[in-house]
Amino acid sequence: MATILVNANIYQQRGQFAQAMLIEEGFIQAVGSNEEIRALAPAGCEVIDAGGRTVIPGFNDSHQHLFNVGASLLMVPLHEVPSMAEMIERGRAFIAEHQIPAGEVVLGRGWNQDFFTDTDRMPTREDLDQISTEHPIIFTRACGHVAVCNSKALEMAGIDRNTPQPDGASIDRDENGDPNGIVRESGAMAMVNAIVPAKTVADLEKNIRTAMDYALSLGITSVQTNDIKDLNYREMWEAYEHVTHGERPVRVYHQCCFTAIAYFLSFLNDGFGTHVGDDVNRIGPLKLFVDGSLGARTAKLSRPYADDPSTTGITVMDQNYLDAICAIAAANNMSVATHAIGDEAAEMILSAYEKTMRTPSNPLRNGIIHCQITTPEILERFKKSKILAQVQPIFIHYDKNIVYDRVGKELAETSYAFRTLAEMGVHVSYGTDSPVEDMNPYNNLYCAVTRMSLTGKGDPYLPDQCVDIYDAIDNYTIESAYCSFDEKKKGRLLPGFMADLVILDRNIFEVPAMEIKDVRPVATMVGGEIVYKK
């Protein structure tokens, strides 16, 4: 059935707006004035009157963890919890409200000690023991690179004073040499997460549906998500196949994470690889991690942390491993997207890409996710090798308050250089890394345009890196589509493109910059079908 959208302010590209569009079979067939589109409309077609509202392409989050978003929405809510005391109280209330039996694992995510008003330290097992000593408890920091466990969880995981430190990770100790409950990076976090019962495909689907409902309510129609990991790829792919070809139409492009070459080879031997799938569920790049997070001081720097000279961060993968797995990906025509926050981590992955790319034009569209701490030399290497930058402006909300302390003035003033990268011709796309940050695209746009915290307090961080709202929206739509080789059919409201769009409650191109974060959808459409309506 055909649909026409009329009386709209349709953003097509900078300086180009239209009033109406004709949609058939999920694609935009024509765009023009109300009169032009009404004249083209077939008899009996559906008419949607936008009431003069602004319409933009559906948002495409270029890096997040959709499954974990759904999981976090079903956990103890800890994002921006204001104090240690409040975190403890929320844990107690969650156990009581959900009547969780003793022995069952209790999970939470989102705490950040820098937001605590009653202490400036990370929580430890003693703090979580105040919630319960009968339930194993694991609370993951907002960044996803640190977790804290109570004594019961450590006991069930078999972690004690004699447990050796895992490679590329850390089990923190107290003054007596006993584990204090804090575990850093995947090698250590996997040890405690091993006590969490394995999920069935039905469990996976529940988390995915929960996250997709939230995404659609925000106008997000496509996600590039890191949920396929190591040996879960068959079950996770099956769950996504069921959900995306069922009642939840968010389009998914998978960033597939493998921590061992043997797992990656198994995945390839099973016939998976970049481009496998269809327009609603498709395999994208190999996803790698080189380092951790800035907030946890596990991002890998080329020099000691300015506020902790004892460390330069953690290297999750060494150069030889990176070179080897990137070479396998290139030989199998699979793209690579790598987490790199510290400048040394960026240097390492750029070196691996440069060694394995067959041509300097980057035909596989290899990218670096986060691209936070950089030098001018690193930016030049992005430009020379045409490496994609998949960035998260929302990180500025928190990081602007710590970056100078963490890395020092020199590095801080050449970092988060998202506008410079774009002006150099680098493809820059926006994501949220949700649930590290909220999936909310309007907060993300606000931070890109203002370089301010969401509170609006303080000075902007490197204001010369601010972009205007047109570039910000393009980076969130057409540039994200470029990451998934979809730029000719997704990310613009032009004839021949997918009818994925969001109708906004106000004109985002005209509201004051400080109010961008307050814009919300009236309706979301995927493939010409309304999938969310306020």
Side-chain angles (χ1 to χ4, degrees):
M1 179 178 177
T3 301
I4 60 170
L5 178 67
V6 298
N7 296 325
N9 180 43
I10 300 169
Y11 173 63
Q12 296 184 282
Q13 53 195 13
R14 183 182 290 272
Q16 183 176 328
F17 289 80
Q19 283 185 309
M21 69 170 65
L22 168 64
I23 300 167
E24 289 183 306
E25 297 183 354
F27 285 81
I28 299 168
Q29 302 300 319
V31 183
S33 67
N34 288 332
E35 293 75 16
E36 290 168 335
I37 298 304
R38 288 186 185 277
L40 294 173
C45 78
E46 180 183 13
V47 179
I48 299 174
D49 191 327
R53 292 188 174 92
T54 294
V55 180
I56 63 174
F59 293 106
N60 184 341
D61 192 307
S62 69
H63 173 68
Q64 62 164 260
H65 307 261
L66 189 72
F67 172 82
N68 284 338
V69 171
S72 68
L73 291 170
L74 301 172
M75 293 179 184
V76 181
L78 299 176
H79 276 284
E80 299 200 13
V81 62
S83 66
M84 186 85 75
E86 174 68 14
M87 184 182 73
I88 292 168
E89 180 54 36
R90 288 189 192 184
R92 290 171 176 165
F94 188 89
I95 290 171
E97 179 184 350
H98 296 274
Q99 299 181 351
I100 300 174
E104 186 171 316
V105 181
V106 177
L107 301 174
R109 176 157 184 167
W111 62 269
N112 183 336
Q113 76 280 4
D114 290 324
F115 294 144
F116 291 168
T117 57
D118 53 357
T119 183
D120 59 0
R121 65 173 175 83
M122 289 187 180
T124 65
R125 61 182 171 88
E126 286 86 357
D127 299 306
L128 269 58
D129 284 347
Q130 295 180 51
I131 299 174
S132 173
T133 56
E134 297 180 346
H135 300 82
I137 301 172
I138 306 170
F139 283 176
T140 303
R141 192 177 185 274
C143 64
H145 292 264
V146 177
V148 60
C149 322
N150 71 344
S151 297
K152 185 69 172 178
L154 290 172
E155 175 190 340
M156 290 178 63
I159 297 175
D160 59 28
R161 65 184 299 122
N162 298 314
T163 303
Q165 292 288 3
D167 292 339
S170 173
I171 299 169
D172 287 13
R173 316 276 180 174
D174 63 21
E175 63 275 9
N176 298 316
D178 294 311
N180 68 1
I182 298 171
V183 290
R184 303 173 191 259
E185 297 305 331
S186 59
M189 294 174 68
M191 296 171 70
V192 295
N193 286 328
I195 72 174
V196 180
K199 293 186 178 294
T200 65
V201 171
D203 293 329
L204 302 182
E205 291 180 15
K206 178 181 179 181
N207 282 11
I208 294 166
R209 289 190 185 96
T210 299
M212 285 188 172
D213 286 345
Y214 184 54
L216 293 170
S217 75
L218 294 168
I220 299 164
T221 57
S222 292
V223 296
Q224 300 177 43
T225 182
N226 176 195
D227 301 323
I228 287 177
K229 299 178 183 178
D230 293 330
L231 292 179
N232 82 349
Y233 62 86
R234 297 178 185 88
E235 293 80 9
M236 192 64 77
W237 175 257
E238 179 184 351
Y240 268 103
E241 281 283 271
H242 289 169
V243 175
T244 56
H245 291 91
E247 73 282 14
R248 298 298 195 282
V250 175
R251 303 186 194 275
V252 178
Y253 192 67
H254 293 279
Q255 298 168 341
C256 308
C257 180
F258 295 96
T259 59
I261 287 176
Y263 297 154
F264 183 39
L265 291 174
S266 175
F267 174 82
L268 294 170
N269 289 336
D270 275 354
F272 289 101
T274 302
H275 305 306
V276 169
D278 55 28
D279 281 341
V280 295
N281 189 38
R282 185 153 38 101
I283 298 294
L286 166 68
K287 166 70 189 308
L288 301 175
F289 285 85
V290 176
D291 65 346
S293 74
L294 194 66
R297 296 186 185 85
T298 55
K300 186 63 176 175
L301 303 181
S302 60
R303 63 194 73 176
Y305 275 79
D307 57 357
D308 185 358
S310 70
T311 184
T312 60
I314 292 177
T315 303
V316 178
M317 295 179 177
D318 66 25
Q319 191 69 59
N320 289 337
Y321 183 92
L322 285 172
D323 293 349
I325 199 166
C326 287
I328 293 169
N332 287 273
N333 293 313
M334 189 159 184
S335 310
V336 186
T338 306
H339 166 119
I341 290 180
D343 61 318
E344 183 164 326
E347 295 273 11
M348 290 173 65
I349 193 59
L350 285 166
S351 294
Y353 288 167
E354 290 162 359
K355 292 171 187 174
T356 56
M357 288 194 306
R358 292 187 294 275
T359 71
S361 62
N362 191 18
L364 293 176
R365 301 190 182 179
N366 292 340
I368 293 183
I369 295 168
H370 306 313
C371 315
Q372 287 169 232
I373 307 305
T374 55
T375 63
E377 292 75 21
I378 288 173
L379 303 185
E380 285 294 333
R381 291 178 73 180
F382 267 89
K383 176 183 177 180
K384 180 180 178 181
S385 298
K386 300 186 181 345
I387 302 301
L388 279 58
Q390 293 160 266
V391 307
Q392 296 73 39
I394 184 60
F395 284 0
I396 292 168
H397 160 61
Y398 166 65
D399 288 1
K400 72 182 290 287
N401 300 311
I402 66 168
V403 63
Y404 282 90
D405 289 340
R406 291 287 194 276
V407 305
K409 185 175 187 294
E410 180 183 3
L411 268 181
E413 295 189 347
T414 61
S415 296
Y416 302 76
F418 307 149
R419 177 175 177 172
T420 295
L421 279 166
E423 290 176 343
M424 294 171 73
V426 173
H427 286 280
V428 177
S429 60
Y430 289 172
T432 56
D433 203 16
S434 189
V436 172
E437 293 287 350
D438 194 313
M439 205 192 304
N440 185 327
Y442 312 98
N443 289 348
N444 214 7
L445 292 170
Y446 162 90
C447 287
V449 171
T450 68
R451 305 279 293 196
M452 299 278 286
S453 72
L454 295 175
T455 65
K457 297 178 181 178
D459 296 325
Y461 169 51
L462 303 183
D464 62 320
Q465 294 295 328
C466 293
V467 300
D468 68 19
I469 189 61
Y470 294 93
D471 283 342
I473 287 175
D474 286 351
N475 291 345
Y476 227 135
T477 54
I478 190 66
E479 287 294 343
S480 290
Y482 184 87
C483 295
S484 59
F485 299 87
D486 288 323
E487 72 276 10
K488 293 183 179 179
K489 61 181 179 181
K490 186 194 292 187
R492 291 286 192 202
L493 299 182
L494 298 169
F497 280 66
M498 295 173 177
D500 299 351
L501 56 88
V502 54
I503 303 173
L504 302 175
D505 63 0
R506 66 199 84 175
N507 188 341
I508 198 168
F509 299 99
E510 294 183 355
V511 299
M514 300 301 288
E515 296 179 17
I516 291 171
K517 63 182 182 296
D518 302 321
V519 175
R520 288 295 182 273
V522 170
T524 305
M525 181 179 283
V526 179
E529 299 291 330
I530 291 180
V531 292
Y532 167 79
K533 193 170 185 178
K534 187 173 180 181

